[in-house]
Amino acid sequence: MALDLACAAAATNPPNNAVVIVANAAMPQSRELARYYADARGIPAVDICLLALPEDESMSRKDYEERLRDPLLEFLRKRKLVDQVRRNPDSIQRNETAWTTLSSSVQYLVLIHGVPLRIQDTRWTLTRVIGDQLKRINEKNAAAVDSELAMLLAGPYAIGGQIANPLFNRHGRDELKSAPGAGLIVARLDGPGAGHVRQMIDESLKAEKYGLLGRAYFDGRGISEGPYYVGDYWIREAYERFKREGFECTLDGAPATWGRSYPMEDVAVYIGWYQASVDGPFLRPDFRFRPGAVACHIHSGSAVSLRTTTDYWTGPLVARGAAATWGAVSEPFLSFMPHVDIFAARLCSARPFGDSVYMSLPALSWQVTVVGDPLFNPFRHTLEEQIRHLEQDGLPDVEWAYLREVNKMVREGRFNTALNYCREKVNATGSLVLRERLADLYARNDLYDDAGWQYEQVIEEARTVETAVRVGARWMLILRLLGDKERADKLEAIIREKWKGSEVVSWLATAQP
């Protein structure tokens, strides 16, 4: 399988010299991870740029310019990856590079765990001393390192405030006719520890061959008007886009985030907002994302630090197995966060993860850090190809691809075809995932006896409390709506007894008509 994944990686890689890896020479783990990623993606070792950088997550603007930006440009020139000429010294303003880019083969910069996360704000003016109320946010020159490096090959620009991203809302680089530096994509392979980064690399390659396998969860806030409505709009649109791809999708519209007892499991996609630090089902000790999972939580401080498993969101999501995510190192304002509706549309259209984020991101030289392999493309293969790969390798996870096929048939109006296909795959595999969906199809067609038999088989054979509670709650709700409260109460008692001691069981109380 390792050879197969390496071949898949080679097939999806961009042209030679399009990817440059940046690691911290002062940290052995950073150097090792850079080599690990280069080997996994077939990137020449000579395209690893080792720089002596601070080991903290924050760096000064001076260190950014003298220890990261300028040495990186020198590396690119020596490798003949960019063609640059010196600018007139008299025209160079403070904080500007001394070079003008004429041409470049570089499309991606991949920053490795150990490269600082943010550039500190250098303003220290009278207005700042007087008080926050006098500060002008468009003078803010703190930024995520990734976001600042995205401007590396662009012309001179003011570092205070946001710079419009030329890739925003595009469909590809071929739409750009501007300067050679436009469209540089910068992401980082980073997280609480080196093990998390290796897992991110490995599982991205796996999901690239087999696709995203699991459920998709979208946690809105139920906002219908006002300045924050757009956040809920993005999430609803992303939900609809993944439904079009056949994913089993759940959308929550309550103001609060999901509670800790919510029976969330098998998560391949998660998009939510707006809580300061990780909470809900993610706090359960056994929670794990599916391989290659794409997960993000919209919050102004979601990525203040990546070296934590408990605080903020981005680091904890990576620690729980997310392979592709992003966050804000400081207040970006909602309109300058990735527009997740655009992100979902680009990703589902087989754009790589890095491209998909940057095409959804309005501003550069700002606060968003992109965490994950920018080359990761979970939709590179069609669903038919994913099923073939899973079947050829004899992997039981093919049940998730079959489920997507069923859901796409239903969406296309081929209900009876979907019912027959689902029944056939249940008989062939015994999959509880497909049996649950078969029960849903029977219930949708008012065949409640058939639905009940399937639901109760899943509940009896469930290997996790989440499955038993989710399916049990659904069947109990149907029974109560049908007026069979006695049968519903008996089923609830059976589930509570079998799974007593689990906090997830308390969620059964929500299954009321």
Side-chain angles (χ1 to χ4, degrees):
M1 184 181 295
L3 180 60
D4 290 342
L5 292 176
C7 291
T12 194
N13 280 348
N16 288 340
N17 305 132
V19 183
V20 170
I21 302 168
V22 183
N24 190 343
M27 295 179 64
Q29 282 188 336
S30 188
R31 300 195 304 268
E32 292 166 6
L33 289 168
R35 290 192 294 269
Y36 189 85
Y37 176 66
D39 289 343
R41 279 292 182 189
I43 298 168
V46 292
D47 288 336
I48 299 175
C49 178
L50 297 175
L51 302 175
L53 300 170
E55 297 186 28
D56 292 337
E57 287 190 283
S58 294
M59 67 191 314
S60 67
R61 175 65 62 171
K62 183 174 186 291
D63 277 344
Y64 168 77
E65 293 170 0
E66 297 180 0
R67 299 175 65 177
L68 176 51
R69 183 194 68 185
D70 293 347
L72 176 55
L73 284 173
E74 182 180 2
F75 173 87
L76 298 178
R77 289 192 299 272
K78 285 183 176 179
R79 286 280 298 118
K80 300 188 184 305
L81 303 177
V82 299
D83 183 14
Q84 292 184 316
V85 295
R86 281 193 177 274
R87 297 172 55 203
N88 183 341
D90 295 335
S91 68
I92 300 172
Q93 303 296 314
R94 183 184 178 189
N95 302 120
E96 291 181 354
T97 176
W99 298 88
T100 295
T101 302
L102 301 179
S103 64
S104 171
S105 64
V106 181
Q107 298 177 13
Y108 300 91
L109 293 179
V110 182
L111 314 184
I112 302 296
H113 177 71
V115 174
L117 174 66
R118 74 175 65 77
I119 305 167
Q120 297 164 348
D121 197 332
T122 61
R123 295 170 304 154
W124 195 256
T125 64
L126 178 63
T127 56
R128 183 170 184 178
V129 174
I130 290 174
D132 284 353
Q133 71 274 16
L134 297 180
K135 287 193 295 182
R136 292 175 58 192
I137 196 65
N138 63 2
E139 294 177 352
K140 183 177 183 177
N141 60 40
V145 168
D146 322 20
S147 190
E148 201 72 80
L149 282 176
M151 298 291 295
L152 181 70
L153 303 180
Y157 65 95
I159 63 169
Q162 317 89 355
I163 303 294
N165 177 11
L167 275 174
F168 177 61
N169 211 14
R170 303 281 185 174
H171 291 270
R173 287 189 186 82
D174 53 352
E175 295 181 47
L176 298 178
K177 307 297 182 185
S178 53
L184 187 62
I185 289 172
V186 187
R188 61 177 53 239
L189 293 167
D190 207 346
H196 300 120
V197 176
R198 287 192 181 88
Q199 176 178 280
M200 183 185 298
I201 296 166
D202 294 342
E203 295 194 346
S204 293
L205 289 176
K206 182 176 181 181
E208 202 160 276
K209 179 179 181 181
Y210 299 123
L212 293 174
L213 304 171
R215 305 178 188 277
Y217 292 85
F218 302 85
D219 197 356
R221 297 172 63 192
I223 299 172
S224 59
E225 59 184 4
Y228 294 108
Y229 164 74
V230 67
D232 261 27
Y233 171 80
W234 292 345
I235 289 175
R236 286 197 302 273
E237 288 295 301
Y239 161 81
E240 292 293 343
R241 187 62 182 85
F242 277 95
K243 282 190 73 174
R244 280 171 51 192
E245 295 300 323
F247 283 89
E248 198 74 7
C249 295
T250 300
L251 173 65
D252 179 70
T257 53
W258 275 305
R260 181 172 168 135
S261 66
Y262 181 74
M264 181 186 287
E265 65 174 341
D266 295 315
V267 185
V269 178
Y270 164 76
I271 300 175
W273 75 321
Y274 187 81
Q275 180 73 22
S277 278
V278 63
D279 70 347
F282 305 105
L283 294 181
R284 297 203 298 267
D286 59 346
F287 180 90
R288 295 292 301 167
F289 285 102
R290 298 282 302 178
V294 176
C296 73
H297 188 92
I298 301 170
H299 188 272
S300 301
S302 52
V304 170
S305 172
L306 299 181
R307 299 178 187 177
T308 172
T309 63
T310 57
D311 296 328
Y312 318 113
W313 277 91
T314 309
L317 291 177
V318 170
R320 288 154 178 79
T325 181
W326 64 81
V329 302
S330 182
E331 174 64 74
F333 300 107
L334 181 60
S335 59
F336 295 112
M337 290 290 278
H339 295 198
V340 295
D341 57 335
I342 299 174
F343 168 77
R346 299 299 183 272
L347 190 73
C348 292
S349 298
R351 298 291 181 186
F353 168 67
D355 296 55
S356 299
V357 179
Y358 274 79
M359 289 173 188
S360 70
L361 185 62
L364 303 177
S365 184
W366 201 229
Q367 311 304 321
V368 171
T369 183
V370 180
V371 182
D373 180 356
L375 306 182
F376 173 40
N377 189 346
F379 291 91
R380 172 176 168 261
H381 294 292
T382 66
L383 179 55
E384 181 182 3
E385 290 169 336
Q386 291 171 12
I387 289 174
R388 186 169 68 251
H389 294 157
L390 288 158
E391 289 177 338
Q392 287 173 346
D393 292 339
L395 298 179
D397 283 343
V398 70
E399 63 187 355
W400 294 107
Y402 290 153
L403 178 62
R404 285 183 58 197
E405 189 67 55
V406 170
N407 288 341
K408 291 183 79 169
M409 291 176 185
V410 171
R411 189 177 181 89
E412 293 164 3
R414 297 185 291 147
F415 186 88
N416 289 332
T417 303
L419 185 62
N420 291 333
Y421 181 89
C422 192
R423 188 187 296 119
E424 172 193 326
K425 297 304 182 184
V426 167
N427 292 335
T429 66
S431 164
L432 295 185
V433 168
L434 292 170
R435 191 179 293 280
E436 177 183 347
R437 187 62 177 122
L438 181 60
D440 291 341
L441 295 178
Y442 281 138
R444 179 171 170 174
N445 212 30
D446 296 335
L447 299 172
Y448 295 114
D449 288 342
D450 291 330
W453 191 90
Q454 299 291 346
Y455 281 136
E456 291 177 13
Q457 284 292 111
V458 175
I459 295 165
E460 182 180 341
E461 298 176 24
R463 292 182 290 270
T464 67
V465 62
E466 288 84 1
T467 297
V469 167
R470 182 185 63 254
V471 178
R474 192 178 311 151
W475 181 224
M476 286 160 48
L477 175 59
I478 292 172
L479 287 172
R480 285 168 177 151
L481 290 171
L482 292 173
D484 198 343
K485 182 177 181 300
E486 181 179 353
R487 188 176 174 186
D489 290 347
K490 182 178 179 181
L491 177 62
E492 180 174 354
I494 291 171
I495 295 172
R496 287 186 179 278
E497 176 60 27
K498 181 176 180 179
W499 298 97
K500 61 183 178 183
S502 170
E503 59 188 307
V504 177
V505 172
S506 64
W507 193 78
L508 282 173
T510 66
Q512 303 295 331

